[in-house]
Amino acid sequence: MKHLIAPSILAADFANLQRDIEMINNSEADWFHIDVMDGVFVPNISFGIPVIKAIKKHAKKTMDVHLMIVDPDRYITDFKNAGADILTVHYEACSHLHRTIQAIKAEGMQAGISLNPHTPIAVLEDIIQDLDLVLIMSVNPGFGGQSFIENTYKKIIQLRDLIDKSGSKAVIEIDGGVNATNCPKLVAAGADVLVAGSFVFKSENPSETIKVLKHC
Ligand code: DX5
Ligand code: ZN
């Protein structure tokens, strides 16, 4: 499949959110990537359910919600009601991942697990069959605008191998420090979805930058 591009709303202009959402609607982007941070799992607070509801009113593409929060089980139904199509939780934030993944699916959403840069791919061995998506963090979660961690390529290759061997249908999403230079290498390694925040929104022409990433 041709790789997908998911611009991260975290880097948008929050005072002009509707304008930035329309830019994504009218661009070659595939998904909206929406980062929720609680100030506990990660050392930053972003935005929550009311803002996601507001985004949903205007967004015409898949809502890909990345939860960087502890105890996500408490809010699964709320995120569904807010408009999430894909809900991704962190491996490091869940004690009963299998239950969490089943609960996300029971709400009719696609279920993803995200791994921090230090977490090996091997921890997914017994749950990969249940997943729709694996998000590999290519920076430490919490902030946009950080530098890409090179060890990510190795993890993509390992994950692709695990997915192929298990017959899982999970797609591989990469999040953090994505730009036009690493884009072709990430796709060649086996990435299906690329999240890009700063590289898109800090560029002169965000729509054109999305196009560059889509065709890298
Ligand atoms: C970081 C978030 C990312 C972030 C990526 O914790 O998960 O989605 O917005 O931003 P850039 O592309 O600027 O690294
Ligand atoms: Zn993210």
Side-chain angles (χ1 to χ4, degrees), residues 8 33-35 66 68 135 137 175 195:
S8 172
H33 185 79
I34 298 165
D35 291 303
H66 175 194
M68 285 159 274
L135 189 166
M137 285 306 306
D175 187 5
V195 175

Side-chain angles (χ1 to χ4, degrees), residues 97-162:
L97 255 184
H98 185 270
R99 179 184 295 150
T100 305
I101 293 302
Q102 302 313 320
I104 293 171
K105 289 180 162 181
E107 287 287 359
M109 294 179 283
Q110 292 190 51
I113 292 180
S114 179
L115 300 182
N116 277 342
H118 74 277
T119 304
I121 296 298
V123 299
L124 297 176
E125 204 179 312
D126 288 302
I127 195 145
I128 192 74
Q129 296 87 346
D130 297 299
L131 301 181
D132 298 300
L133 179 149
V134 177
L135 189 166
I136 300 179
M137 285 306 306
S138 40
V139 298
N140 286 292
F143 303 93
Q146 304 178 81
S147 318
F148 179 82
I149 296 172
E150 297 285 324
N151 189 54
T152 306
Y153 298 118
K154 184 193 86 184
K155 292 177 83 172
I156 298 172
I157 293 164
Q158 290 172 341
L159 178 56
R160 176 58 62 206
D161 190 50
L162 179 64

